[in-house]
Amino acid sequence: MSEQTKKHHSPSYSIYIFVWLFLLVLTGVTVAVAGINLGKMTLAIALLIASIKSYFVLTIFMHLKFEDRMFRIFVFVALFFLAISLILLFSDYSFQ
Amino acid sequence: MSSDSSHNVSYLDYKGRWKGKITSWIFSTDHKKIGVLYLFSMLILFSIGVLFGFLMRLELIAPGKTIMEPQMYNSIFTLHGIIMIFMFIIPGLPAIFGNFFLPLLIGAKDVAFPRLNLLSWWLFMFGSLLAILSVFLPGGPVDTGWTFYVPYSVRSTTNVFPALIAAFILGFSSILTGLNFITTIHRMRVQGMTWFRMPLFVWSLYATSWIQILATPIIGITLLLVVMERAFNIGIFDPSLGGDPVLFQHLFWIYSHPAVYVMIIPAMGIISEIIPVFARRTIFGYKFIAFSSIAIALMGSLVWAHHMFTVGMSPTAMIIFSVLTFLVAIPSAIKVFNWVATLYKGSIQLDPPMLYALGFIFLFSIGGFTGLIQGALSVNIHIHDTSFIVAHFHYVMFGGTGFGIFAALHYWFPKMFAKSYNMKTAKFSFWTLFFGFNVLYFPMFVMGWLGMPRRYYDYLPEYHIYHFISTIGSWIVVIALVAMFANFIVALRKKEKFTEENPWGGETLEWKTSTPPPLENFDIEPVVDSHPYEYKMNEPDQDLLKEEGTK
């Protein structure tokens, strides 16, 4: 496959629809889980589901899966910045 | 755009499809014109900010009421902060000189997204006008301080809402500029312009752009949360509704501390451009300076809570943030040492840009060292929220970034406008500014150390002498600024054109095109085959070596 065709590769409509339906299902699961009393796990499960949804939005809808390495590095830098910020933020809240 | 007829036209003469004098500027997508638009809009805003600062100092010349009521004083210092920070010093260097010179420095015809670039200026203007409008709307000018701390910003009856929305819009403008620059640097470097042949100003813009993209959305969402809190009483930040005001401070400073580096890193880039040109020496430690910009951007993003040592954070967090604060001094010091090493045995010319660059190093060093004092936990408790902080901040931001902006203006003015300014007046305004600056801000260190709180309308008689000296300093600073701007205005009104390509003897690409630059920057696309600061002065003198060999 030439580089040019590789760059312009994108998933078929059926993939988009499948992912969209999957995201809707996950939204339903989030709502359902919110109604169950799981104690401290409630928040963790909601964040886990949100992360899975973000993964699919980034890779499929935002085409990250089909872009070159530089774009993935950019996203990694952003996520790294977010992670470090959260860790440092909780260095305050976790030790109060 | 690329038609032959427009190829050699100066960017100042090219009007494109807009025939009007004003429309050919405000709808132009040329990066140079957008840079100039930013320059003039920001200088107007800066003048308003100076006026507010001047009035504030005048009020403080003596204890008790002098020229205004306390409520007006609160609004004046808030507006001084909002205008200077959000509308001048954060966007200043990237938006003015980044826009104008980034494509020139890397040999490109324009930035990657010219229309987005124009949009960012329009957003900037819209945000700025909204902030200024908030002064005149019913409710009165915002009085929360530029930090919008909750719960006061939720409860204040002044025009907090338009000011918050204005800051939000200005943030958008900043993100778009950052996005544009990162793409331009990655995609549009001319042939031979490898990463380590890029001028150091470009490296500094690259580091800055990353902060703009990563950190600005956090302030955006935080300010929106305050808006929602005011409108719907949600209870995110307001403690009376179960919210956490310290969380606001965390979110605010996660952006606003890195924003300090958005202000200072490009100024450091400017200094790295000027020092080698006026010392006639290759920059010492190119890679260290380049990577220290990245290191400052990275580490500077992790030190935000040193603004919050007295709010009741956990001791663990306080120790972590204190240590990180000390660490961020390392890359800053790397730059200062490398600049000084570049000057060593250089053939130094004390022209106005160099004077401002040297002024930057001196004042930034004082600002930097006093920053370390505040990074120490115990000392921080003593000087927190005193005028010591105000002095430190102004030494770094005005003495650092402000002097950096003036250095850039004096350095690139002839190239931008094809006009020459009066050197004597420029030197006079520098020395007056340098002197006035120290008279204005140094007493603040002393009275802050003695316990004078910041932002107070009134004070005890023992602080009078310091306030008095400081206010005299503000008059000297205003005289210097008037002289500087008058010098530039006189130069702009000159009929005589200055067409010398390279008046300072620079080696970077902007000096290898005509003055003023043509519409698409270069008549012939340049090819880069060497490093940006190769001065022969730096090479060993062969004759001298021979002489020493015969001895």
Side-chain angles (χ1 to χ4, degrees), chain A residues 7 68 70-71 73-75 77-82 84-86 88-89 91-96, chain B residues 182 186-187 206 210 214-215 218 244 246-247 250 254 301-302 304 312-314 316-317 320-321 324:
Chain A
K7 269 186 181 170
D68 64 35
M70 185 58 73
F71 290 94
I73 292 171
F74 283 5
V75 174
V77 170
L79 290 175
F80 178 75
F81 173 74
L82 184 67
I84 295 275
S85 299
L86 284 174
L88 285 173
L89 186 63
S91 74
D92 178 15
Y93 286 98
S94 308
F95 293 96
Q96 274 181 353
Chain B
I182 289 180
H186 272 276
R187 295 287 193 216
Y206 186 69
W210 271 107
L214 293 177
I218 298 174
D244 180 5
V246 176
L247 178 63
H250 272 297
I254 285 177
S301 301
L302 310 178
W304 74 83
M313 281 197 304
S314 76
T316 314
I320 290 172
F321 280 106
L324 288 170

Short mmCIF file of all heavy atoms in Angstrom, two decimals, chain A residues 7 68 70-71 73-75 77-82 84-86 88-89 91-96, chain B residues 182 186-187 206 210 214-215 218 244 246-247 250 254 301-302 304 312-314 316-317 320-321 324:
data_model
loop_
_atom_site.label_atom_id
_atom_site.label_comp_id
_atom_site.label_asym_id
_atom_site.label_seq_id
_atom_site.Cartn_x
_atom_site.Cartn_y
_atom_site.Cartn_z
N LYS A 7 -2.57 6.92 4.12
CA LYS A 7 -2.94 8.12 4.88
C LYS A 7 -4.42 8.42 4.76
O LYS A 7 -5.04 8.92 5.68
CB LYS A 7 -2.13 9.32 4.40
CG LYS A 7 -0.85 9.48 5.17
CD LYS A 7 -0.16 10.74 4.77
CE LYS A 7 1.15 10.87 5.54
NZ LYS A 7 1.98 11.94 5.04
N ASP A 68 -0.37 9.13 11.14
CA ASP A 68 1.00 8.69 11.40
C ASP A 68 1.38 8.90 12.88
O ASP A 68 0.65 9.48 13.66
CB ASP A 68 2.00 9.34 10.42
CG ASP A 68 2.09 10.84 10.55
OD1 ASP A 68 1.96 11.36 11.67
OD2 ASP A 68 2.26 11.49 9.50
N MET A 70 3.30 10.70 14.60
CA MET A 70 3.43 12.01 15.24
C MET A 70 2.14 12.40 15.97
O MET A 70 2.17 12.89 17.09
CB MET A 70 3.77 13.06 14.17
CG MET A 70 4.05 14.43 14.72
SD MET A 70 5.40 14.44 15.91
CE MET A 70 6.79 14.21 14.81
N PHE A 71 0.99 12.12 15.33
CA PHE A 71 -0.29 12.49 15.95
C PHE A 71 -0.52 11.70 17.23
O PHE A 71 -1.06 12.21 18.20
CB PHE A 71 -1.44 12.29 14.97
CG PHE A 71 -1.43 13.27 13.84
CD1 PHE A 71 -0.82 12.97 12.64
CD2 PHE A 71 -2.02 14.52 14.00
CE1 PHE A 71 -0.79 13.88 11.62
CE2 PHE A 71 -1.99 15.45 12.96
CZ PHE A 71 -1.37 15.13 11.77
N ILE A 73 1.79 10.57 19.15
CA ILE A 73 2.69 11.14 20.18
C ILE A 73 2.03 12.38 20.79
O ILE A 73 2.04 12.58 22.00
CB ILE A 73 4.07 11.48 19.58
CG1 ILE A 73 4.79 10.19 19.19
CG2 ILE A 73 4.92 12.29 20.56
CD1 ILE A 73 6.06 10.40 18.40
N PHE A 74 1.42 13.22 19.93
CA PHE A 74 0.76 14.44 20.42
C PHE A 74 -0.32 14.08 21.45
O PHE A 74 -0.40 14.69 22.51
CB PHE A 74 0.11 15.20 19.26
CG PHE A 74 1.07 15.98 18.42
CD1 PHE A 74 2.44 15.91 18.64
CD2 PHE A 74 0.61 16.79 17.40
CE1 PHE A 74 3.32 16.62 17.87
CE2 PHE A 74 1.50 17.52 16.61
CZ PHE A 74 2.85 17.43 16.85
N VAL A 75 -1.13 13.07 21.10
CA VAL A 75 -2.21 12.69 22.02
C VAL A 75 -1.61 12.13 23.30
O VAL A 75 -2.08 12.42 24.41
CB VAL A 75 -3.15 11.67 21.35
CG1 VAL A 75 -4.18 11.16 22.34
CG2 VAL A 75 -3.85 12.32 20.17
N VAL A 77 1.21 12.97 24.67
CA VAL A 77 1.71 14.10 25.47
C VAL A 77 0.55 14.74 26.24
O VAL A 77 0.67 15.04 27.43
CB VAL A 77 2.40 15.15 24.56
CG1 VAL A 77 2.69 16.44 25.32
CG2 VAL A 77 3.69 14.59 24.00
N ALA A 78 -0.58 14.92 25.56
CA ALA A 78 -1.75 15.53 26.21
C ALA A 78 -2.24 14.66 27.37
O ALA A 78 -2.51 15.16 28.46
CB ALA A 78 -2.86 15.75 25.19
N LEU A 79 -2.31 13.34 27.12
CA LEU A 79 -2.79 12.44 28.18
C LEU A 79 -1.80 12.40 29.34
O LEU A 79 -2.19 12.36 30.50
CB LEU A 79 -3.00 11.03 27.61
CG LEU A 79 -4.19 10.90 26.66
CD1 LEU A 79 -4.24 9.50 26.06
CD2 LEU A 79 -5.50 11.21 27.37
N PHE A 80 -0.52 12.44 29.01
CA PHE A 80 0.52 12.43 30.04
C PHE A 80 0.39 13.68 30.92
O PHE A 80 0.44 13.60 32.15
CB PHE A 80 1.89 12.41 29.34
CG PHE A 80 3.05 12.44 30.30
CD1 PHE A 80 3.39 11.30 31.03
CD2 PHE A 80 3.81 13.59 30.46
CE1 PHE A 80 4.45 11.35 31.93
CE2 PHE A 80 4.86 13.63 31.34
CZ PHE A 80 5.20 12.50 32.07
N PHE A 81 0.19 14.82 30.28
CA PHE A 81 0.01 16.08 31.01
C PHE A 81 -1.20 16.00 31.94
O PHE A 81 -1.13 16.38 33.11
CB PHE A 81 -0.17 17.22 30.00
CG PHE A 81 -0.51 18.55 30.63
CD1 PHE A 81 0.45 19.28 31.30
CD2 PHE A 81 -1.79 19.07 30.53
CE1 PHE A 81 0.13 20.50 31.88
CE2 PHE A 81 -2.11 20.28 31.10
CZ PHE A 81 -1.15 21.00 31.78
N LEU A 82 -2.28 15.43 31.41
CA LEU A 82 -3.49 15.30 32.21
C LEU A 82 -3.26 14.37 33.40
O LEU A 82 -3.65 14.66 34.54
CB LEU A 82 -4.62 14.75 31.32
CG LEU A 82 -5.99 14.63 31.97
CD1 LEU A 82 -6.55 16.01 32.27
CD2 LEU A 82 -6.95 13.89 31.05
N ILE A 84 -0.40 13.55 34.91
CA ILE A 84 0.49 14.15 35.92
C ILE A 84 -0.27 15.20 36.73
O ILE A 84 -0.14 15.28 37.95
CB ILE A 84 1.70 14.83 35.22
CG1 ILE A 84 2.56 13.80 34.53
CG2 ILE A 84 2.51 15.66 36.20
CD1 ILE A 84 3.58 13.14 35.39
N SER A 85 -1.10 16.00 36.03
CA SER A 85 -1.87 17.03 36.74
C SER A 85 -2.79 16.39 37.77
O SER A 85 -2.90 16.86 38.90
CB SER A 85 -2.71 17.85 35.76
OG SER A 85 -1.87 18.48 34.85
N LEU A 86 -3.44 15.28 37.39
CA LEU A 86 -4.36 14.61 38.33
C LEU A 86 -3.59 14.02 39.51
O LEU A 86 -4.01 14.13 40.66
CB LEU A 86 -5.15 13.51 37.60
CG LEU A 86 -6.28 14.03 36.71
CD1 LEU A 86 -6.91 12.89 35.92
CD2 LEU A 86 -7.36 14.72 37.54
N LEU A 88 -0.74 15.01 40.77
CA LEU A 88 -0.30 16.09 41.67
C LEU A 88 -1.49 16.69 42.43
O LEU A 88 -1.37 17.04 43.60
CB LEU A 88 0.44 17.17 40.88
CG LEU A 88 1.85 16.80 40.43
CD1 LEU A 88 2.42 17.86 39.51
CD2 LEU A 88 2.76 16.62 41.63
N LEU A 89 -2.62 16.79 41.75
CA LEU A 89 -3.82 17.32 42.41
C LEU A 89 -4.21 16.43 43.58
O LEU A 89 -4.52 16.91 44.67
CB LEU A 89 -4.96 17.38 41.38
CG LEU A 89 -6.26 18.04 41.82
CD1 LEU A 89 -6.01 19.50 42.13
CD2 LEU A 89 -7.30 17.92 40.73
N SER A 91 -2.24 14.59 45.23
CA SER A 91 -1.23 14.63 46.31
C SER A 91 -1.73 15.57 47.41
O SER A 91 -1.30 15.48 48.54
CB SER A 91 0.13 15.08 45.79
OG SER A 91 0.13 16.46 45.53
N ASP A 92 -2.64 16.46 47.06
CA ASP A 92 -3.26 17.31 48.06
C ASP A 92 -4.46 16.60 48.69
O ASP A 92 -4.47 16.34 49.89
CB ASP A 92 -3.69 18.63 47.41
CG ASP A 92 -4.41 19.57 48.38
OD1 ASP A 92 -4.32 19.34 49.60
OD2 ASP A 92 -5.05 20.52 47.91
N TYR A 93 -5.43 16.21 47.86
CA TYR A 93 -6.68 15.69 48.41
C TYR A 93 -6.52 14.35 49.13
O TYR A 93 -7.22 14.08 50.10
CB TYR A 93 -7.74 15.58 47.30
CG TYR A 93 -8.27 16.94 46.92
CD1 TYR A 93 -7.76 17.63 45.82
CD2 TYR A 93 -9.24 17.55 47.70
CE1 TYR A 93 -8.22 18.89 45.51
CE2 TYR A 93 -9.70 18.82 47.38
CZ TYR A 93 -9.19 19.49 46.28
OH TYR A 93 -9.65 20.74 45.99
N SER A 94 -5.58 13.51 48.67
CA SER A 94 -5.45 12.18 49.28
C SER A 94 -4.76 12.22 50.63
O SER A 94 -4.86 11.28 51.40
CB SER A 94 -4.65 11.27 48.35
OG SER A 94 -5.22 11.29 47.08
N PHE A 95 -4.01 13.28 50.93
CA PHE A 95 -3.23 13.29 52.17
C PHE A 95 -3.75 14.31 53.18
O PHE A 95 -3.07 14.65 54.13
CB PHE A 95 -1.75 13.56 51.86
CG PHE A 95 -1.10 12.44 51.11
CD1 PHE A 95 -1.00 12.49 49.72
CD2 PHE A 95 -0.62 11.31 51.76
CE1 PHE A 95 -0.43 11.46 49.01
CE2 PHE A 95 -0.04 10.28 51.05
CZ PHE A 95 0.06 10.34 49.67
N GLN A 96 -4.95 14.83 52.93
CA GLN A 96 -5.48 15.83 53.87
C GLN A 96 -6.03 15.17 55.14
O GLN A 96 -6.56 14.08 55.06
CB GLN A 96 -6.58 16.65 53.20
CG GLN A 96 -6.00 17.81 52.41
CD GLN A 96 -7.03 18.68 51.75
OE1 GLN A 96 -8.21 18.37 51.76
NE2 GLN A 96 -6.58 19.78 51.17
N ILE B 182 2.41 25.19 16.13
CA ILE B 182 2.95 23.82 16.19
C ILE B 182 2.90 23.20 14.79
O ILE B 182 3.87 22.61 14.33
CB ILE B 182 2.16 22.96 17.20
CG1 ILE B 182 2.49 23.41 18.63
CG2 ILE B 182 2.48 21.48 17.04
CD1 ILE B 182 1.79 22.65 19.71
N HIS B 186 6.14 22.10 12.47
CA HIS B 186 6.31 20.71 12.04
C HIS B 186 6.31 20.57 10.53
O HIS B 186 7.05 19.77 9.97
CB HIS B 186 5.20 19.83 12.63
CG HIS B 186 5.54 19.28 13.97
ND1 HIS B 186 6.29 18.14 14.14
CD2 HIS B 186 5.28 19.73 15.21
CE1 HIS B 186 6.46 17.90 15.43
NE2 HIS B 186 5.85 18.86 16.11
N ARG B 187 5.44 21.33 9.88
CA ARG B 187 5.17 21.05 8.46
C ARG B 187 5.79 22.01 7.46
O ARG B 187 5.87 21.69 6.29
CB ARG B 187 3.65 21.06 8.23
CG ARG B 187 2.89 19.97 8.96
CD ARG B 187 3.15 18.65 8.31
NE ARG B 187 2.22 17.64 8.78
CZ ARG B 187 2.54 16.37 8.96
NH1 ARG B 187 3.77 15.97 8.72
NH2 ARG B 187 1.65 15.50 9.36
N TYR B 206 7.72 27.04 20.02
CA TYR B 206 7.23 25.66 19.99
C TYR B 206 6.84 25.20 21.40
O TYR B 206 5.75 24.66 21.62
CB TYR B 206 8.32 24.75 19.40
CG TYR B 206 7.87 23.32 19.20
CD1 TYR B 206 6.92 23.02 18.22
CD2 TYR B 206 8.37 22.29 19.98
CE1 TYR B 206 6.50 21.71 18.04
CE2 TYR B 206 7.94 20.98 19.79
CZ TYR B 206 7.01 20.70 18.82
OH TYR B 206 6.58 19.40 18.64
N TRP B 210 2.80 24.50 22.97
CA TRP B 210 2.33 23.29 23.64
C TRP B 210 1.61 23.66 24.93
O TRP B 210 0.57 23.08 25.26
CB TRP B 210 3.49 22.33 23.94
CG TRP B 210 3.72 21.39 22.80
CD1 TRP B 210 4.75 21.40 21.92
CD2 TRP B 210 2.87 20.30 22.41
NE1 TRP B 210 4.60 20.40 20.99
CE2 TRP B 210 3.46 19.71 21.28
CE3 TRP B 210 1.68 19.78 22.90
CZ2 TRP B 210 2.89 18.60 20.64
CZ3 TRP B 210 1.11 18.68 22.25
CH2 TRP B 210 1.71 18.11 21.14
N LEU B 214 -2.29 22.77 25.76
CA LEU B 214 -2.61 21.82 26.82
C LEU B 214 -3.26 22.47 28.04
O LEU B 214 -4.14 21.89 28.67
CB LEU B 214 -1.35 21.06 27.26
CG LEU B 214 -0.75 20.12 26.21
CD1 LEU B 214 0.53 19.51 26.73
CD2 LEU B 214 -1.75 19.02 25.87
N ALA B 215 -2.80 23.66 28.40
CA ALA B 215 -3.24 24.23 29.68
C ALA B 215 -4.45 25.17 29.54
O ALA B 215 -5.26 25.25 30.45
CB ALA B 215 -2.08 24.97 30.35
N ILE B 218 -8.06 24.16 30.39
CA ILE B 218 -8.39 23.97 31.82
C ILE B 218 -8.93 25.27 32.41
O ILE B 218 -9.92 25.27 33.13
CB ILE B 218 -7.15 23.47 32.59
CG1 ILE B 218 -6.74 22.11 32.02
CG2 ILE B 218 -7.44 23.38 34.09
CD1 ILE B 218 -5.47 21.56 32.57
N ASP B 244 -15.99 23.35 46.94
CA ASP B 244 -14.63 23.42 47.48
C ASP B 244 -13.87 24.58 46.81
O ASP B 244 -13.47 24.47 45.64
CB ASP B 244 -13.92 22.10 47.20
CG ASP B 244 -12.49 22.09 47.73
OD1 ASP B 244 -12.10 23.08 48.38
OD2 ASP B 244 -11.79 21.10 47.49
N VAL B 246 -10.90 25.58 47.31
CA VAL B 246 -9.49 25.25 47.02
C VAL B 246 -9.38 24.57 45.66
O VAL B 246 -8.39 24.74 44.95
CB VAL B 246 -8.90 24.39 48.16
CG1 VAL B 246 -7.48 23.95 47.82
CG2 VAL B 246 -8.92 25.16 49.47
N LEU B 247 -10.44 23.82 45.30
CA LEU B 247 -10.42 23.17 43.98
C LEU B 247 -10.34 24.22 42.88
O LEU B 247 -9.63 24.04 41.88
CB LEU B 247 -11.69 22.31 43.80
CG LEU B 247 -11.81 21.61 42.44
CD1 LEU B 247 -10.68 20.61 42.24
CD2 LEU B 247 -13.16 20.90 42.31
N HIS B 250 -6.78 25.28 42.60
CA HIS B 250 -5.98 24.28 41.88
C HIS B 250 -6.20 24.42 40.37
O HIS B 250 -5.24 24.51 39.59
CB HIS B 250 -6.40 22.86 42.30
CG HIS B 250 -5.67 22.34 43.49
ND1 HIS B 250 -4.31 22.14 43.51
CD2 HIS B 250 -6.10 21.97 44.73
CE1 HIS B 250 -3.94 21.67 44.69
NE2 HIS B 250 -5.01 21.57 45.47
N ILE B 254 -3.47 25.54 37.64
CA ILE B 254 -2.98 24.53 36.69
C ILE B 254 -2.76 25.20 35.34
O ILE B 254 -1.83 24.88 34.61
CB ILE B 254 -3.96 23.34 36.56
CG1 ILE B 254 -3.87 22.44 37.80
CG2 ILE B 254 -3.64 22.50 35.31
CD1 ILE B 254 -4.86 21.28 37.80
N SER B 301 4.72 23.30 34.21
CA SER B 301 3.32 22.88 34.28
C SER B 301 3.03 22.11 35.55
O SER B 301 1.88 21.75 35.82
CB SER B 301 2.99 22.00 33.07
OG SER B 301 3.23 22.71 31.89
N LEU B 302 4.05 21.81 36.33
CA LEU B 302 3.86 20.93 37.49
C LEU B 302 4.08 21.65 38.83
O LEU B 302 4.26 21.00 39.84
CB LEU B 302 4.84 19.74 37.38
CG LEU B 302 4.86 19.02 36.04
CD1 LEU B 302 5.89 17.90 36.06
CD2 LEU B 302 3.49 18.43 35.73
N TRP B 304 2.16 24.41 39.98
CA TRP B 304 1.14 25.44 40.18
C TRP B 304 0.78 25.70 41.65
O TRP B 304 0.45 26.84 42.01
CB TRP B 304 -0.11 25.09 39.38
CG TRP B 304 -0.91 23.97 39.96
CD1 TRP B 304 -1.83 24.05 40.96
CD2 TRP B 304 -0.87 22.58 39.60
NE1 TRP B 304 -2.36 22.82 41.23
CE2 TRP B 304 -1.79 21.89 40.41
CE3 TRP B 304 -0.15 21.84 38.65
CZ2 TRP B 304 -2.01 20.53 40.33
CZ3 TRP B 304 -0.38 20.48 38.57
CH2 TRP B 304 -1.28 19.84 39.39
N GLY B 312 -4.15 25.73 53.11
CA GLY B 312 -4.49 24.54 53.88
C GLY B 312 -4.39 23.26 53.08
O GLY B 312 -5.17 22.32 53.28
N MET B 313 -3.42 23.21 52.16
CA MET B 313 -3.19 21.96 51.42
C MET B 313 -2.54 20.93 52.34
O MET B 313 -2.04 21.26 53.41
CB MET B 313 -2.22 22.23 50.27
CG MET B 313 -2.82 22.89 49.06
SD MET B 313 -1.76 22.71 47.64
CE MET B 313 -0.24 23.40 48.19
N SER B 314 -2.49 19.69 51.86
CA SER B 314 -1.81 18.65 52.64
C SER B 314 -0.31 18.93 52.67
O SER B 314 0.25 19.43 51.68
CB SER B 314 -2.06 17.27 52.04
OG SER B 314 -1.26 17.09 50.89
N THR B 316 2.08 16.90 52.41
CA THR B 316 2.75 16.13 51.35
C THR B 316 2.76 16.93 50.05
O THR B 316 3.79 17.07 49.40
CB THR B 316 1.97 14.80 51.09
OG1 THR B 316 1.69 14.21 52.34
CG2 THR B 316 2.75 13.87 50.19
N ALA B 317 1.59 17.48 49.71
CA ALA B 317 1.50 18.25 48.46
C ALA B 317 2.40 19.48 48.54
O ALA B 317 3.07 19.83 47.57
CB ALA B 317 0.06 18.68 48.22
N ILE B 320 6.00 18.43 47.90
CA ILE B 320 6.19 18.07 46.48
C ILE B 320 6.27 19.34 45.62
O ILE B 320 7.19 19.49 44.80
CB ILE B 320 5.04 17.16 45.99
CG1 ILE B 320 5.13 15.79 46.65
CG2 ILE B 320 5.07 17.02 44.47
CD1 ILE B 320 3.93 14.89 46.39
N PHE B 321 5.34 20.25 45.82
CA PHE B 321 5.30 21.45 44.97
C PHE B 321 6.48 22.38 45.26
O PHE B 321 6.97 23.07 44.36
CB PHE B 321 3.97 22.17 45.11
CG PHE B 321 2.88 21.54 44.31
CD1 PHE B 321 1.86 20.80 44.93
CD2 PHE B 321 2.86 21.63 42.93
CE1 PHE B 321 0.87 20.19 44.18
CE2 PHE B 321 1.87 21.03 42.17
CZ PHE B 321 0.86 20.30 42.81
N LEU B 324 9.45 20.78 43.40
CA LEU B 324 9.32 21.00 41.95
C LEU B 324 9.63 22.44 41.58
O LEU B 324 10.21 22.73 40.54
CB LEU B 324 7.91 20.63 41.49
CG LEU B 324 7.57 19.13 41.47
CD1 LEU B 324 6.08 18.91 41.24
CD2 LEU B 324 8.37 18.42 40.38
#
